[in-house]
Amino acid sequence: EIVLTQSPATLSLSPGERATLSCRASQSVNSYLAWYQQRPGQAPRLLIYDVSNRATGIPARFSGSGSGTDFTLTISSLEPEDFAVYFCQQRRNWPLTFGGGTKVEIK
Amino acid sequence: EVQLLESGGGLVQPGGSLRLSCAASGFTFSSFAMSWVRQAPGKGLEWVSAISGNGGSTNYADSVKGRLTISRDNSKNTLFLQMNSLGADDAAVYYCAKVVVDGNYPYWFFDLWGRGTLVTVSS
């Protein structure tokens, strides 16, 4: 099973600041990595798939990068609605696995 | 409107069974692989099971293999999860999710989620 480790667990930032979230895989997932956002009380929402492709309707301030085992989600300038929990997910191997999540909170 | 609506959650005793349903609307259900993902209270996401568009191929997490069974009825646009021998570790919100497709190829990421149905396991 591919283990995804996200860091940091919590990121405390102010609106307008840049957020950089990390996801590290226990073995290569090639480019088969996605990012999701989950706001409190809501279902997850797909942000980015295959490392850097934004899903439909996702603002350009969200971007993804990386390859192999190290990946980054960047939010260029935090909006109030971006304070949420973010998860990465790999589809390289079964079972599909998610990272433990990074909470982006208001500083 | 494109949506997924789960139902069937509730309180079940340890060792009991439950059947979850997910009604799909607004898209050609049979063209898309589907999946179940769960989230224990205050915890992260755990993929549970997946099924191909025609129902001919399924996959399961090791933690549920042999106890949970995914199926679908394309004539009724509905996804199911039969849950047997439930334990405390199965308590969670269960989400059904639609798989991203490029052409006919499933990308095994999830671009549409339901609101979830809560399963509580307690005596």
Side-chain angles (χ1 to χ4, degrees):
Chain A
E1 171 176 319
I2 296 177
V3 177
L4 299 179
T5 302
Q6 291 188 242
S7 61
T10 303
L11 198 53
S12 299
L13 295 168
S14 301
E17 289 194 294
R18 182 184 190 90
T20 303
L21 288 66
S22 174
C23 177
R24 176 164 290 178
S26 59
Q27 64 187 81
S28 176
V29 299
N30 295 340
S31 62
Y32 304 140
L33 189 103
W35 291 93
Y36 299 84
Q37 176 194 69
Q38 187 176 34
R39 295 170 178 151
Q42 296 187 15
R45 177 175 70 143
L46 179 66
L47 298 176
I48 302 282
Y49 64 95
D50 282 355
V51 176
S52 59
N53 298 290
R54 274 189 302 276
T56 302
I58 301 304
R61 65 180 181 272
F62 291 93
S63 63
S65 62
S67 65
T69 60
D70 290 292
F71 301 90
T72 300
L73 174 70
T74 301
I75 311 171
S76 59
S77 179
L78 284 164
E79 297 287 339
E81 62 267 27
D82 298 337
F83 292 92
V85 181
Y86 294 82
F87 296 96
C88 56
Q89 180 234 322
Q90 66 81 23
R91 67 175 181 98
R92 176 62 179 85
N93 284 351
W94 299 99
L96 306 178
T97 51
F98 289 88
T102 290
K103 181 180 182 180
V104 179
E105 66 175 23
I106 299 176
K107 187 174 182 180
Chain B
E1 182 186 2
V2 178
Q3 68 175 2
L4 299 169
L5 185 61
E6 302 93 338
S7 61
L11 174 63
V12 61
Q13 292 186 341
S17 298
L18 214 52
R19 190 193 198 203
L20 306 184
S21 299
C22 171
S25 58
F27 63 98
T28 305
F29 181 67
S30 60
S31 295
F32 293 90
M34 298 291 294
S35 193
W36 290 96
V37 177
R38 68 186 181 184
Q39 186 171 36
K43 302 297 184 182
L45 301 171
E46 180 187 15
W47 172 77
V48 172
S49 182
I51 188 168
S52 60
N54 64 9
S57 177
T58 58
N59 280 282
Y60 296 92
D62 285 347
S63 59
V64 306
K65 208 170 287 185
R67 301 187 300 113
L68 275 58
T69 302
I70 192 170
S71 63
R72 64 192 296 161
D73 184 340
N74 286 344
S75 69
K76 296 183 179 179
N77 293 341
T78 304
L79 177 72
F80 301 101
L81 186 67
Q82 177 65 44
M83 309 170 67
N84 298 330
S85 303
L86 287 166
D89 289 348
D90 298 311
V93 173
Y94 284 73
Y95 295 102
C96 72
K98 171 181 161 288
V99 173
V100 173
V101 166
D102 186 353
N104 290 323
Y105 184 77
Y107 264 42
W108 300 114
F109 297 134
F110 312 114
D111 62 353
L112 178 67
W113 297 65
R115 297 185 67 176
T117 187
L118 177 63
V119 172
T120 302
V121 182
S122 176
S123 54

